[in-house]
Each structure stands twice: as structure tokens, then as C-alpha cells.
Amino acid sequence: MRGSDELLSQTAAVSNGGIMTSQPDNNNDAKKVKLDRNLNKPSRVVHVRNIPMEAMETDIINLGIPFGRITNVLLLKGKNQAFLEMADETAATSMVNYYNNSGTPIIRGRTVYVQFSNHKELKTDNAHPGSISTQAALQAAQALTSETDTQGGPNTVLRVIVDNQIYPITLDVLYQIFSRVGKVLKIITFTKNNTFQALIQYPDVITAQAAKLSLDGQNIYNACCTLRIDYSKLTNLNVKYNNDKSRDFTNPTLPTGDIGLDSLGFGGAMSMMGSPFAGLPSLGAPLTAAYSAAAGLPLGAFALPPAVASATFGLAGFRLPGQQSFGGCVLLVSNLNEEMVTPDALFTLFGVYGDVIRVKILFNKKDNALVQMSEPHQAQLALTNLDKIKVYGKEIRVNPSKHQLVQMPKEGQPDAGLTKDFTSSPLHRFKKPGSKNYQNIYPPSATLHLSNIPASVTEEDIKTAFQDTGGSVVAFKFFPKDRKMALIQMGSVEESVIALIKMHNYQLADSSHLRVSFSKSTI
């Protein structure tokens, strides 16, 4: 029986330059792989067979990254196979041994077969049209590998922090993403320092390392919800309940921890929640093409299957398309303190989460207002973060409005300055597409981030100005490496909200206006 590289055996070295001699494809090749596995002598070139048509070079590279430096890759989509050249034979041997004895290699949901190639090296043609993407993928892989040289403590348990969390992240969402890399055993989620975090356990170190290398730094949603992944100090997770906060996938009979549900016989069985934002515009990302399903969520680098999204988002207070359709830009804000709130105050507060186009305080019901945002997802952000917060002593309510836009008053119509158009305001935070401000959106918090502070302004100047807003300053700290920025902590979230309204764009010097936003940090 011939070796597994039969299709390419007539060339001295593998080439992607189009000069390869093709042999008839053997439909039984995948079946023969198990028999052929041990026939080839060790080589630093690894042969991967049965890959899906939609596979990319990065998918092949991700299989090899945990085992060492990768020096070349060749993807033959027409033959459903690929070749991966490792830096040395030891790394290739570790890879082949692992995938044949311990872990099942999977690319985009399909099991693939890994074994040594007959070839000792890959000679690829840099003039080939695919060489640019190949070189880019290789450079990224080499950068990842060099990073791991300075990182210690590989472990089966990963600690995951979700940075810049604009949209709700659930245990089910994390499961969908992390199970793409390999079998997930357990997940525990929690909030620490106002940041959503999780501990995720894999069956072995190799899979955990592959997940860390391929997912660290990825955005779950476009331009937000960034995964920061490290190894945990824990070696095993002790999960007591299967619910929306923790899950042991090896023990589905665990109680939920809810006495009512447990008494009815409901275990903590996995419920696969789908995309919350299918149908909302402006959430697409170029990385979604690899995984996207038409009805799934456009994610930063992933797409979850369309499923029972309403369960997840009903709990989070979301209205989905088809559920009192909310794809509009206008919000109804009620229970306002009509003695204190102005269109400018609402513009500043809601402007933290998007560009406010118009504000109308209702003439006959001044504790209600309409706020028109620039984009539907900005309106959704504002609703998520500002509903039920206290503003000037009253807990405001934020809901989708039936109006599609805010009308300016007709000439001669009484308005008393209650309607204002901010279309041309210089204070919009998100005018530039892909603005970095999207990466610094946080829920209202007692700590505020200050920027654009002139060198002539002292700590006392700033603290006095913020105390004059009616709140107390608990702590203050300049950024050590950049004195133009600082953190200031007010006595409460309510005080912080008022301080932001009054101090954003506050003139500190002749040509300097303060920039204020909510911070995830504490001092």
C-alpha cells in the first residue's frame, strides 16, 4: 500500500506554484488514513487530510501552533488536504502523536486526519496568487509562537476576561466560541472589578493552549467584547450547579441551585442560546465570513447558530426583531426630573453610547423625552446601559420609541427650547467609522475617565471643579505615563452621572476642553 502522500508523490517537493503533477483522487483515502498512519517515517512536514472546502491557511496553522514554530503551510482545497511544515521534526512528532493518540483534530466542525508526510520540506512558489495570504498567516503564527516563549504556566484551565463589554455575554455564548477549538468540560462565570470573567476547563493542556493562542485578543462582537485570555492558577474547576453562571458538561445531572426548578425535576441541561443581534445593522465584521450563517450574529471573529435568542435577551431586557420590532434609532426616556433635565444634559449623557442627533422634551409631559441616536445599535447600547439609572434623584426609564425620528417643531409652534438638533455638534464621540471610542464604552460607574487635561491644571483644580457639581470626590489619580489623562472617583454612581453631564466639554483652559467618560477601573 502506498503512503498517504500518493497524490503528490511524483514531485520532488510540494509546490503551490501550479506545476504539480496530479494523480486520480482516491475516494477511499480518508478510510485508508488509519491504516497508513504509521507507515511514513517522521518528518517535519505534516499531512492533513479531509479538510473542509471553506478551510483557510489559518485553520491549518492553528492545528500546529501549540507544538512549536511553523515555517510553511500549503493548502490544496481541490484535494481537501494541506501540508504544514514545522521548524523541526520534534515539533511535528509531538503534533502527530497528540492528534493520533489524545485529541481529535477538528477544522470548522469536521474531523481531519493528521500524519507524517513523505516530503521532508515544503518548497512553495512565492509568485503564486495565494502566497500573500499564506505569508501573512505564517507571520501571525510566528508572532504568536514567539509570544508564548515568554509566557509561563500552561494549564487546562483558562481565565477569560471580556474587555469593553458593550453587549451581554452569556455562558452559552462562551461555550459556542470555545468549543470550536475543542471539547469544553466546565465553565464558571463571574463578575470581578465590574468586568465579566470566566474560567474555562479543557481536557488537556494542548487544547487549552490552542484556544488561548487562537482566541486571545479576538472581538466577540464587532469592535467590542474583546477576549483577554490567560492561564488560571487553578488546575480543576469545582462546579456545584448547572445554571446560567456555571456548567459542568461532564455531569448534566447537577442541580440548578434554584429550589423551585430542582423540585420540578429540571436539571442544569445545556441550552444553546443563539444570536441576540441578528437583524441589527452596523454589527458586521470582516472576520465573520469564515464562520457566518445567514441568520446568525455577525461576530468579531465568530458566528453563533441562529436559535432561541429570545430567551437570552428577554432576560437582558432586549427586544428583538419580530418581538415588538426594535431596529429604530429613537428612544423614549421617562421619569425625568423635569426641573433639572435639559436637552443638552440628555445629549451629553446619551452621547456616551452613540451620536445623539436630536432631543425633544415633551411640551405637555416634561418628565418624558425622545432621544434620536445616529444608529440603531447605538440606541440599543444607550438603552442597555442607561435604563433604570438615577439622574437628578429619579430613576429614569429608557425604552424603544414607536417614532422613527424626532420632528423639529413647526414654525410658530410653542416649544420653549425643548427640542434641539445636534446633527452638526462638534461633540459627537463616534463620527469616525471604527472610532476607538467604541473600545472604551462602559456602564455608568462611580469612577470617571478624564482626558485632554492641560499641563497647567492641577489635581486640586480638577477636584474642586468636580466637587462643585454637587458630589464628593473620593479619589483622584493622574495616569503615570500620561498626565493628560486621569481617573476621578465620585461618592456614588448617581454623583458620577451628574458630574459627567456637567463636566464633559468643561473649559479648563483657553483652548482646552475636558473629555469625560465612564471607566471600568477603580482607584
Side-chain angles (χ1 to χ4, degrees), residues 8 11 13-20 74 76 122-125 128:
L8 304 170
T11 57
V14 183
S15 168
N16 67 357
I19 59 169
M20 185 183 301
L74 173 60
L76 302 172
L122 290 182
K123 291 182 180 178
T124 52
D125 182 359
H128 187 267

Side-chain angles (χ1 to χ4, degrees), residues 120-200:
K120 298 302 179 185
E121 64 177 334
L122 290 182
K123 291 182 180 178
T124 52
D125 182 359
N126 288 333
H128 187 267
S131 64
I132 296 175
S133 61
T134 300
Q135 291 307 312
L138 283 171
Q139 287 174 15
Q142 286 160 5
L144 281 172
T145 308
S146 63
E147 281 180 14
T148 61
D149 292 341
T150 60
Q151 296 172 347
N155 189 3
T156 58
V157 180
L158 299 175
R159 184 182 66 133
V160 179
I161 296 174
V162 181
D163 257 351
N164 187 27
Q165 185 192 346
I166 296 175
Y167 306 115
I169 304 299
T170 65
L171 182 149
D172 301 281
V173 168
L174 290 178
Y175 177 82
Q176 288 280 5
I177 292 168
F178 281 81
S179 61
R180 291 191 187 281
V181 181
K183 183 179 180 180
V184 173
L185 300 184
K186 303 172 185 177
I187 300 179
I188 296 175
T189 64
F190 56 96
T191 300
K192 185 177 181 182
N193 298 329
N194 294 324
T195 304
F196 181 80
Q197 301 188 27
L199 296 170
I200 299 176

Side-chain angles (χ1 to χ4, degrees), residues 18 52 68 91 117 160 200 313 315 358 372 394 403 424 456 477:
S117 168
V160 179
I200 299 176
F313 287 88
L315 293 173
R358 288 177 180 173
Q372 181 181 337
K394 298 188 73 174
H403 297 285
S424 58
S456 58
K477 184 181 180 182

Side-chain angles (χ1 to χ4, degrees), residues 162-478:
V162 181
D163 257 351
N164 187 27
Q165 185 192 346
I166 296 175
Y167 306 115
I169 304 299
T170 65
L171 182 149
D172 301 281
V173 168
L174 290 178
Y175 177 82
Q176 288 280 5
I177 292 168
F178 281 81
S179 61
R180 291 191 187 281
V181 181
K183 183 179 180 180
V184 173
L185 300 184
K186 303 172 185 177
I187 300 179
I188 296 175
T189 64
F190 56 96
T191 300
K192 185 177 181 182
N193 298 329
N194 294 324
T195 304
F196 181 80
Q197 301 188 27
L199 296 170
I200 299 176
Q201 184 173 344
Y202 282 105
D204 53 73
V205 174
I206 294 296
T207 310
Q209 188 175 9
K212 181 180 184 301
L213 289 169
S214 59
L215 299 178
D216 186 30
Q218 296 275 15
N219 292 331
I220 298 177
Y221 303 116
N222 190 26
C224 67
C225 300
T226 307
L227 296 171
R228 306 293 180 202
I229 305 174
D230 289 304
Y231 295 110
S232 169
K233 293 178 181 177
L234 301 173
T235 56
N236 183 56
L237 297 181
N238 181 21
V239 176
K240 296 180 179 179
Y241 303 111
N242 280 345
N243 53 33
D244 61 342
K245 301 295 184 188
S246 61
R247 200 76 53 82
D248 184 342
F249 300 100
T250 67
N251 187 3
T253 60
L254 284 177
T256 65
D258 183 311
I259 296 173
L261 288 176
D262 290 333
S263 65
L264 293 172
F266 286 97
M270 180 69 178
S271 62
M272 302 303 287
M273 302 302 182
S275 158
F277 296 102
L280 288 185
S282 303
L283 284 170
L287 292 174
T288 61
Y291 297 105
S292 62
L297 166 63
L299 300 169
F302 323 97
L304 306 183
V308 196
S310 58
T312 303
F313 287 88
L315 293 173
F318 284 85
R319 292 172 175 82
L320 301 180
Q323 271 190 322
Q324 300 181 28
S325 177
F326 177 44
C329 297
V330 182
L331 297 167
L332 173 64
V333 188
S334 56
N335 201 39
L336 294 167
N337 183 332
E338 58 185 272
E339 301 297 324
M340 301 296 295
V341 171
T342 64
D344 288 282
L346 292 174
F347 166 78
T348 301
L349 179 58
F350 281 74
V352 172
Y353 301 103
D355 293 336
V356 176
I357 304 303
R358 288 177 180 173
V359 176
K360 177 189 285 287
I361 294 178
L362 304 189
F363 188 78
N364 295 320
K365 200 172 182 356
K366 293 185 175 64
D367 62 346
N368 281 248
L370 296 173
V371 178
Q372 181 181 337
M373 308 296 288
S374 175
E375 299 279 352
H377 77 271
Q378 294 178 357
Q380 186 70 72
L381 274 176
L383 185 155
T384 304
N385 287 285
L386 296 179
D387 185 36
K388 297 183 180 179
I389 68 160
K390 273 196 172 183
V391 181
Y392 290 114
K394 298 188 73 174
E395 187 180 274
I396 69 170
R397 295 307 311 268
V398 183
N399 288 288
S401 168
K402 64 182 179 181
H403 297 285
Q404 295 303 304
L405 52 86
V406 172
Q407 298 278 4
M408 294 299 292
K410 295 176 182 176
E411 196 170 334
Q413 189 176 351
D415 181 65
L418 296 177
T419 306
K420 198 163 182 180
D421 188 300
F422 295 96
T423 304
S424 58
S425 171
L427 300 180
H428 290 310
R429 298 180 190 240
F430 308 99
K431 279 190 295 189
K432 295 179 181 177
S435 168
K436 287 185 178 178
N437 288 333
Y438 274 116
Q439 299 173 26
N440 296 297
I441 295 178
Y442 301 104
S445 59
T447 306
L448 296 168
H449 179 276
L450 314 180
S451 60
N452 205 35
I453 302 170
S456 58
V457 174
T458 66
E459 176 179 333
E460 286 305 314
D461 293 334
I462 297 173
K463 288 167 73 172
T464 299
F466 274 80
Q467 284 166 346
D468 289 345
T469 64
S472 58
V473 175
V474 175
F476 179 90
K477 184 181 180 182
F478 277 114

